[in-house]
Amino acid sequence: MPIEFHTAVSNEPEEQQVVFSAEELTVQPPSEGPQGDAARATADGLENVRGYTRPEGTPEQLWQPPTAALPDIGEASFGPPPVAAETVHGPDDRVQITDTSVYPWRVHCSLLITAADNSRWIGTGWFIGPHTLATAGHVVYIKNSGVAGRDGWVKSINVMPGRNGNTLPYGVVTSTSFRTVNGWANNGDENYDYGAIILPNNLGNTTGWFGFGVWSDADLLKTVGNISGYPGDKPAGTQWYDARGVASVGPRKVYYDIDTAGGQSGSSVYHFYNGGRYGIAIHAYGGAVTNSGTRITTPVYNNYVAWKA
């Protein structure tokens, strides 16, 4: 069960919202969009993806996206691999999603990011409401790049829901409105590495969105984490899925041995709750043994509720 808290927006300086261009807390519910065509979960909390088996022992426009490989947005703040690498551990278990125009796959968005210096990068985001996407803080705000004119808010992000290579079932929407918190923008602290993209329309009413909520350590440690996104080591703009049990949790991080690669920064780490899909973390980092995401805690939850309003 999700933890319930009384209404409170954290007044910690690190959690204060930073804006470019917070009733009693339970969970924010998902929406499948008007068609309601979601595939159901398997008995152990995985997506029912053809060809995917969890490894043994582990719980509107004519614009065309670029086909040439672009670097992961994580490299802008953290440097090239191995520093910024999001990691495939052992055999690569990821499976490509080919029918990306249906829920839940259309909730995941390929991002083409233009930084302040006009350099271009890739990342991933996911709908949490009609016009709001959750993503990593370093997707919308670059820190410590060492390149003149690059740090700070990105200039624009092209959002492509359910992209499948050059096929854009819901077109592309350009956003110039972003959100993050002081802990990331001022300090570059990975514990606060989360943000949001605000669209100029309500495309999420068509694609649907995921819910999100706050769960206890004990609940997270017995859940299966699912990630689908747009890794840069696969053909450009293709969506890939993987899942594992949560390995460990910290006060502000969730750790898991789910295979990812650069380009998946900002992906949803989600689980099934009462038949719906709910984000528990925002994927952001790789590691030698586990990858990790920014945990949805009470103040993170409150900020996302405010950003989707």
Side-chain angles (χ1 to χ4, degrees):
M1 295 288 292
I3 303 172
E4 295 187 0
F5 297 89
H6 293 292
T7 304
V9 176
S10 170
N11 54 15
E12 299 176 68
E14 293 85 355
E15 213 74 60
Q16 289 178 355
Q17 302 175 30
V18 182
V19 178
F20 176 68
S21 80
E23 73 202 67
E24 191 176 77
L25 172 61
T26 53
V27 295
Q28 289 288 299
S31 167
E32 297 179 7
Q35 296 165 311
D37 52 7
R40 299 300 154 198
T42 64
D44 55 356
L46 301 174
E47 293 286 5
N48 189 13
V49 176
R50 180 177 298 176
Y52 183 79
T53 304
R54 190 172 67 178
E56 193 70 28
T58 60
E60 76 242 67
Q61 295 183 6
L62 298 177
W63 178 90
Q64 288 293 313
T67 56
L70 292 173
D72 165 34
I73 186 62
E75 295 184 29
S77 291
F78 309 118
V83 178
E86 300 165 70
T87 312
V88 173
H89 301 112
D92 186 351
D93 303 303
R94 293 172 294 171
V95 169
Q96 184 178 359
I97 304 302
T98 55
D99 192 2
T100 56
S101 65
V102 300
Y103 190 93
W105 315 116
R106 63 191 180 204
V107 169
H108 310 284
C109 301
S110 173
L111 306 178
L112 173 60
I113 304 150
T114 301
D117 66 342
N118 292 316
S119 58
R120 296 201 299 174
W121 311 82
I122 60 171
T124 299
W126 47 290
F127 277 100
I128 59 170
H131 55 262
T132 307
L133 282 76
T135 192
H138 67 259
V139 166
V140 298
Y141 196 100
I142 294 172
K143 289 291 293 182
N144 305 317
S145 70
V147 178
R150 181 172 293 175
D151 278 18
W153 295 108
V154 301
K155 184 178 290 185
S156 65
I157 299 179
N158 291 325
V159 175
M160 296 164 275
R163 179 184 175 189
N164 188 12
N166 286 334
T167 300
L168 305 176
Y170 301 97
V172 54
V173 179
T174 300
S175 173
T176 56
S177 182
F178 314 115
R179 308 286 187 269
T180 190
V181 292
N182 284 334
W184 174 252
N186 291 346
N187 305 325
D189 187 336
E190 68 178 59
N191 290 298
Y192 302 93
D193 191 351
Y194 68 99
I197 301 166
I198 312 301
L199 299 187
N201 62 20
N202 289 328
L203 184 56
N205 283 335
T206 298
T207 63
W209 57 82
F210 285 176
F212 55 93
V214 182
W215 276 266
S216 69
D217 290 4
D219 283 335
L220 291 178
L221 287 171
K222 61 188 179 185
T223 199
V224 170
N226 300 266
I227 296 180
S228 199
Y230 289 89
D233 64 335
K234 299 294 187 180
T238 56
Q239 187 178 141
W240 294 75
Y241 167 83
D242 196 23
R244 294 286 199 289
V246 170
S248 62
V249 296
R252 292 186 173 270
K253 298 287 289 290
V254 178
Y255 299 87
Y256 37 81
D257 184 19
I258 304 173
D259 290 338
T260 62
Q264 289 187 254
S265 289
S267 297
S268 174
V269 186
Y270 66 97
H271 73 164
F272 285 86
Y273 172 71
N274 283 350
R277 294 163 176 85
Y278 289 81
I280 59 175
I282 302 93
H283 176 64
Y285 295 95
V289 179
T290 56
N291 298 325
S292 63
T294 308
R295 182 174 178 176
I296 297 180
T297 59
T298 308
V300 177
Y301 175 99
N302 286 335
N303 280 334
Y304 275 127
V305 170
W307 293 339
K308 68 174 284 188

